[in-house]
Amino acid sequence: MKFAIFGDIHANLEALETVLTHAADNDCTNFVCMGDIVGYNANPVECLNIVRDMGCPVVRGNHDEEASSDAELNGLNPLARHALEWTRDMLSPEDREWLLNNKLVRQVRDFTIVHATLDTPGAWGYVTNKFDAMASFSYQFTPVCFYGHTHTPKFYVKGDMVDAVDGNELDIEMGKKYFINVGSVGQPRDGDWRSSYAIYDIDKQKVTIHRLEYDLPKAQTKIVQAGLPEMLANRLALGK
Ligand code: ZN
């Protein structure tokens, strides 16, 4: 059985459709969404409808939360704030309620999913190094946990010590723990513009990160036409 683990879609419809098609073509029968469905790009409603209609497990991201509330948008960079204000106008009350009702942490079969961190999931901290990963491992009760939020795919492994492992493939070994960032579907930030998501093959106990080209010019044109900052279109091409 193969799970497609995907998140940080950020309203990028072209990227989401590309990822879901690739997952289906690669025999994924189960889907799990890591949150941040909306924010930044031009198709929040379309992306939300696709994920909601899939009926798959979803965890709430910080952008999902911010886009669904009426609270002041403090502490965000100006680009994120502009996009969130625009996104709020696009979403219906039902959309907002659905986004807000998604849990922060979920267990799916024998693995866990969380958008940001396991130690303080609603505080939206970033796991970017071994020490951050160590804090999350203290609250991880399954061998594997997937997360997102940094928009950068990464494997952390806890054996005798915590190690960061690069690469696109990882074998899950008995007795170890894994904290795995699946990267971002709709706004990668690791210098590679292509969409990122993971396939978890439960039978082979293997996790593979896939990078996919999508219709970038189309996504960029929509961002500009929607009146969103052009910078948001430009950054997609840079992968940051
Ligand atoms: Zn995000």
Side-chain angles (χ1 to χ4, degrees), residues 155 165-171 206-209:
F155 299 116
V165 180
D166 286 320
N168 291 327
E169 268 191 13
L170 190 73
D171 289 309
K206 188 187 257 307
V207 177
T208 310
I209 303 286

Side-chain angles (χ1 to χ4, degrees), residues 8 10 35-36 40 62-63 115 149-151 184 187 189:
D8 291 288
H10 287 295
D36 271 6
Y40 291 122
N62 53 313
H63 283 254
H115 183 69
H149 196 42
T150 67
H151 298 206
S184 169
Q187 195 197 70
R189 292 182 195 157

